[in-house]
């Protein structure tokens, strides 16, 4: 694979990683955006704090794995497999760790 093709593959991995990370994060953030019961618990900070961080992490994790593997092993197909695995592990870690804060519905 030539250098131009490797660069395009890296950009594709970064873009797809950001899209997959945001799409897997969005169902959990929905509660904070719509506000739950009668919109009382709306927290839009997930849109301007968490969303950019999730997108950047989803773009940078597979890109870093791609570049490091490509530099060390010089095999583009192996670098793509390792980048996909790093993205899968990153999303698994995100979904097992991050949960938006939800206040109790009724405080009595």
């Amino acid at each position: 694979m030539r250098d131009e093709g490797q660069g395009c593959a890296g950009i594709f991995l970064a873009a797809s990683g950001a899209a997959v990370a945001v799409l897997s994060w969005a169902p959990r953030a929905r509660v904070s955006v719509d506000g739950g019961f009668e919109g009382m618990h709306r927290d839009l900070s997930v849109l301007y704090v968490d969303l950019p961080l999730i997108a950047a992490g989803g773009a940078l994790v597979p890109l870093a794995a791609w570049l490091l593997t490509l530099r060390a092993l010089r095999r583009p197909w192996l670098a793509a497999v390792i980048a996909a695995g790093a993205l899968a592990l990153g999303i698994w870690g995100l979904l097992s760790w991050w949960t938006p804060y939800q206040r109790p519905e009724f405080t009595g």
Side-chain angles (χ1 to χ4, degrees):
M1 185 182 278
R2 295 189 326 209
D3 290 338
E4 295 87 15
Q6 290 176 359
C8 290
I11 291 172
F12 174 73
L13 278 171
S16 62
V20 168
V22 168
L23 289 176
S24 62
W25 165 83
R28 289 194 176 190
R30 182 181 53 87
V31 174
S32 295
V33 173
D34 69 7
F37 180 70
E38 293 183 354
M40 293 174 50
H41 303 157
R42 181 169 290 175
D43 180 20
L44 296 180
S45 69
V46 297
L47 294 178
Y48 58 84
V49 173
D50 296 341
L51 177 62
L53 293 174
I54 298 298
L60 293 177
V61 166
L63 185 61
W66 162 264
L67 291 174
L68 290 173
T69 306
L70 195 60
R71 181 173 289 233
L73 301 177
R74 306 241 188 253
R75 305 238 189 268
W77 62 271
L78 185 59
V81 170
I82 289 176
L87 178 64
L89 284 175
I91 290 176
W92 172 78
L94 168 72
L95 294 179
S96 64
W97 173 74
W98 185 81
T99 303
Y101 173 72
Q102 296 179 10
R103 293 186 304 194
E105 290 289 334
F106 302 104
T107 57

